[in-house]
Amino acid sequence: MVNRVKTGAVIGLNAYEVWVETDVINSLPAFSIVGLPDTAITEARDRVKSAIKNSGYTFPSRKLVVNLAPADLKKAGSAFDLPIAVGILIEEEVLTQDQTQDYAFVGELSLDGIIRPATGVLPLVLGLKESGIKNVIVPYQNAKEAGLIEGINVYGAKHLVDVVGHFTENRIPKTEVDARKYLQESRDEDYPFDFKDVKGQKKAKKALEIAAAGGHNVLMIGSPGSGKTLMAKCFPSILPPLELEEALELTKIYSVSGLLKEDEPLVTKRSFRSVHHTASANGIIGGGSNPKPGEITLAHRGVLFLDEMVEFPRQVLEVLRQPLEDGEISISRALHSVKYPAKFILLGAMNPCPCGYFGDKEKDCSCSDFQISRYLSRLSGPLLDRIDLQIDVPRLTPTELINYNKEEETSETIRKRVVKARKIQVERYKNDGILTNSELTSKLIKKYCQVDEQSKQILKAAAIKFQLSGRRYDRVLKLARTIADLNESENITAIHLTQALQYKMFNIEEYGK
């Protein structure tokens, strides 16, 4: 008789219901697994057999066939060990089909029957719930993560014996986690870097405040020692706290990537991913035979920081163009393609030339015009078109640095203004499916970024002078919308628009003058 046990498979961030079918055939002892399993699942034959025997149960002495249905869906990972073991225990009459029919099982088995944690449990349990599953048994270490999902009973098991006991004598306690309460209690506003420690750079700080408020991309250009990297490290301290929807979305990503901590079932802080310039294109956008999230997805709803941005290979930078525009990345493979969200703030820092001192007030540049031009050309026009704020970050002179005694504004003070602006945006776009001004589409720009006649004339003059592309034109309006929100203004005025236009495209001919 064929027995069936429910589990699931995760492809990208989407989960699909999978049936583990087991059948014992009158033939010489053998154990085969079919249904497009990967190497980790194929190796489950030895893990499951040892786990069952070492847990005190018998293993079939005839040929055992396990089918993972649907057979045309690629299965990957070791989380199929537990459902396979449960199916075999049903064959051996340790458990019955009636006992397990309302349950799904997830987990890897060690040789002695201990259930090890798995990756992607949160999206998997969410998918199982949507397919009608009422109960799920997961590894004990993943129980809190799975318990974030409402509407499904989650049980965390430590050993195969615990799973059997759940249906026979000792039920496993149900795990429930109030996600909203956990998020509120776990918010940590103690940041290692604070803007109060950054001397001067008023314009750069204002630009970063605008970027944080509207989710805009920033490029900082300046000499070595001007404070670009320090301000980038301070940037997370002014970002608003995660909303529950954002936290759950980010937790799904980190769960699939295997980066979720056991004692932190929910990601409670916006991510700040600092990438070295030796990173590959696949490392940034994601990839692999079973595509995994890259740095742009791990930075979702947070920050991707590229220090020394022009040192990245041009082909690596160019792969950022599509996700910066669409807010997602599609990775195609022969058998399937997956989509990962990638709504991140790109924060770049670079020197203006190879020696770093072009335009510096204190030190002369030793580079030729050709060297400077070739250096800056590594950033293409289409990529720069997608960066809303491009700012000059000049060094303080030694005298200014030594004699500087002004008390700077703290990150907490800046963050309060950012949070207030974000709340305005959340309320405004509650029926539009977006959270920030940077996500506005052309249709929504026409609706929410109306300007008066004076502002139209300013825009017209700017479009001619700076040769603004259609994309850049829209981004100026979105930037002005954010500046207006920071000033708690319902309408975009000429002042807001003029300020937005100050952050025009970087022009080498004007830089340093």
Side-chain angles (χ1 to χ4, degrees):
M1 178 181 176
V2 176
N3 293 300
R4 294 179 176 85
V5 175
K6 296 173 188 174
T7 185
V10 176
I11 298 178
L13 295 180
N14 299 315
Y16 302 88
E17 187 178 21
V18 173
W19 289 89
V20 177
E21 301 174 338
T22 54
D23 190 24
V24 174
I25 302 171
N26 286 322
S27 181
L28 293 173
F31 187 176
S32 62
I33 301 176
V34 297
L36 277 185
D38 71 346
T39 304
I41 300 174
T42 304
E43 292 174 347
R45 294 175 299 188
D46 297 319
R47 290 194 301 272
V48 170
K49 186 174 183 179
S50 294
I52 289 176
K53 287 187 174 181
N54 290 327
S55 297
Y57 307 112
T58 58
F59 192 84
S61 57
R62 295 170 292 169
K63 182 176 181 178
L64 174 66
V65 179
V66 175
N67 178 45
L68 307 178
D72 61 345
L73 182 70
K74 179 70 176 176
K75 324 297 187 310
S78 56
F80 291 88
D81 289 7
L82 183 58
I84 291 173
V86 171
I88 295 171
L89 292 174
I90 293 173
E91 290 287 349
E92 292 296 285
E93 299 182 350
V94 176
L95 297 172
T96 67
Q97 185 81 65
D98 291 339
Q99 288 175 320
T100 62
Q101 64 180 357
D102 293 329
Y103 282 77
F105 302 85
V106 179
E108 176 187 337
L109 289 173
S110 65
L111 298 183
D112 56 0
I114 292 174
I115 302 175
R116 298 185 183 278
T119 59
V121 169
L122 182 66
L124 181 54
V125 172
L126 183 60
L128 290 171
K129 173 202 165 186
E130 292 171 352
S131 66
I133 302 296
K134 298 177 181 178
N135 308 282
V136 60
I137 293 181
V138 301
Y140 179 78
Q141 296 93 326
N142 296 122
K144 288 184 178 180
E145 172 191 345
L148 293 168
I149 307 300
E150 297 178 351
I152 186 170
N153 299 319
V154 175
Y155 304 94
K158 297 180 179 179
H159 198 281
L160 184 58
V161 173
D162 298 334
V163 177
V164 175
H166 179 76
F167 296 102
T168 55
E169 46 190 22
N170 299 315
R171 288 186 68 82
I172 301 170
K174 188 164 64 173
T175 302
E176 292 179 301
V177 179
D178 187 332
R180 195 172 298 277
K181 182 179 179 182
Y182 181 89
L183 182 61
Q184 291 290 339
E185 292 177 347
S186 302
R187 279 176 177 164
D188 181 14
E189 296 185 352
D190 183 23
Y191 295 92
F193 298 94
D194 195 291
F195 272 108
K196 69 181 180 181
D197 300 320
V198 180
K199 296 180 179 180
Q201 305 299 356
K202 185 177 180 180
K203 182 181 178 181
K205 289 179 182 177
K206 187 62 182 177
L208 291 173
E209 179 183 337
I210 295 169
H216 303 286
N217 304 316
V218 188
L219 175 60
M220 296 183 287
I221 309 164
S223 304
S226 58
K228 304 185 297 296
T229 303
L230 176 58
M231 284 190 287
K233 291 178 179 179
C234 293
F235 189 63
S237 67
I238 65 171
L239 291 173
L242 283 168
E243 299 291 333
L244 180 59
E245 177 189 343
E246 295 175 304
L248 287 171
E249 193 175 18
L250 198 54
T251 302
K252 286 169 64 177
I253 294 168
Y254 275 70
S255 176
V256 167
S257 304
L259 299 175
L260 203 60
K261 299 177 182 177
E262 181 185 336
D263 56 344
E264 295 179 9
L266 184 69
V267 176
T268 58
K269 266 190 175 182
R270 294 187 185 275
S271 51
F272 181 84
R273 306 293 297 184
S274 182
V275 183
H276 193 264
H277 60 258
T278 56
S280 67
N282 282 348
I284 289 180
I285 67 170
S289 56
N290 181 31
K292 292 293 184 183
E295 290 293 339
I296 61 173
T297 301
L298 295 173
H300 181 61
R301 298 296 180 187
V303 181
L304 178 70
F305 177 46
L306 304 183
D307 202 1
E308 304 300 340
M309 191 168 172
V310 289
E311 298 297 338
F312 284 78
R314 181 160 180 163
Q315 66 269 25
V316 172
L317 293 175
E318 291 305 298
V319 301
L320 295 173
R321 285 163 53 178
Q322 183 259 329
L324 281 173
E325 190 70 22
D326 300 336
E328 63 181 15
I329 182 67
S330 180
I331 305 172
S332 298
R333 293 294 179 265
L335 295 177
H336 59 269
S337 64
V338 298
K339 282 187 178 181
Y340 286 118
K343 293 178 180 177
F344 59 94
I345 295 175
L346 175 63
L347 183 55
M350 58 174 280
N351 296 329
C353 65
C355 79
Y357 294 100
F358 177 59
D360 190 80
K361 296 176 182 178
E362 296 292 318
K363 191 171 182 178
D364 293 333
C365 173
S366 60
C367 305
S368 67
D369 290 345
F370 174 74
Q371 287 176 314
I372 297 171
S373 178
R374 186 176 61 178
Y375 184 76
L376 293 172
S377 67
R378 297 180 191 178
L379 297 183
S380 67
L383 179 60
L384 285 171
D385 226 19
R386 290 163 169 81
I387 300 178
D388 307 321
L389 299 110
Q390 297 160 29
I391 54 174
D392 176 21
V393 185
R395 283 196 308 165
L396 294 179
T397 65
T399 303
E400 290 173 331
L401 195 60
I402 294 169
N403 297 329
Y404 201 92
N405 55 13
K406 180 182 176 182
E407 190 170 330
E408 295 292 343
E409 203 171 29
T410 64
S411 290
E412 184 181 1
T413 303
I414 301 172
R415 185 168 63 249
K416 287 178 180 178
R417 294 197 296 266
V418 170
V419 169
K420 190 177 292 185
R422 281 286 182 105
K423 285 181 178 178
I424 292 171
Q425 293 167 61
V426 169
E427 180 62 26
R428 182 191 296 132
Y429 307 132
K430 61 183 178 182
N431 298 321
D432 298 304
I434 62 174
L435 297 174
T436 63
N437 291 327
S438 63
E439 299 173 65
L440 285 168
T441 61
S442 297
K443 182 179 179 180
L444 293 176
I445 287 173
K446 292 178 182 177
K447 181 178 180 181
Y448 295 114
C449 299
Q450 296 290 332
V451 294
D452 56 26
E453 195 59 38
Q454 181 187 1
S455 299
K456 286 181 181 178
Q457 293 302 317
I458 294 173
L459 268 174
K460 182 179 179 181
I464 296 171
K465 181 178 180 180
F466 302 129
Q467 298 181 339
L468 298 181
S469 65
R471 180 186 295 112
R472 186 64 181 165
Y473 179 87
D474 284 349
R475 287 182 176 272
V476 167
L477 286 173
K478 289 191 275 188
L479 200 58
R481 178 68 271 172
T482 299
I483 295 169
D485 290 340
L486 281 168
N487 293 325
E488 299 182 52
S489 172
E490 185 176 346
N491 299 315
I492 298 174
T493 67
I495 295 174
H496 305 139
L497 193 59
T498 303
Q499 189 175 348
L501 285 166
Q502 290 177 4
Y503 305 105
K504 62 181 178 64
M505 289 180 64
F506 175 64
N507 189 332
I508 184 175
E509 294 177 356
E510 295 181 5
Y511 188 82
K513 293 183 179 179

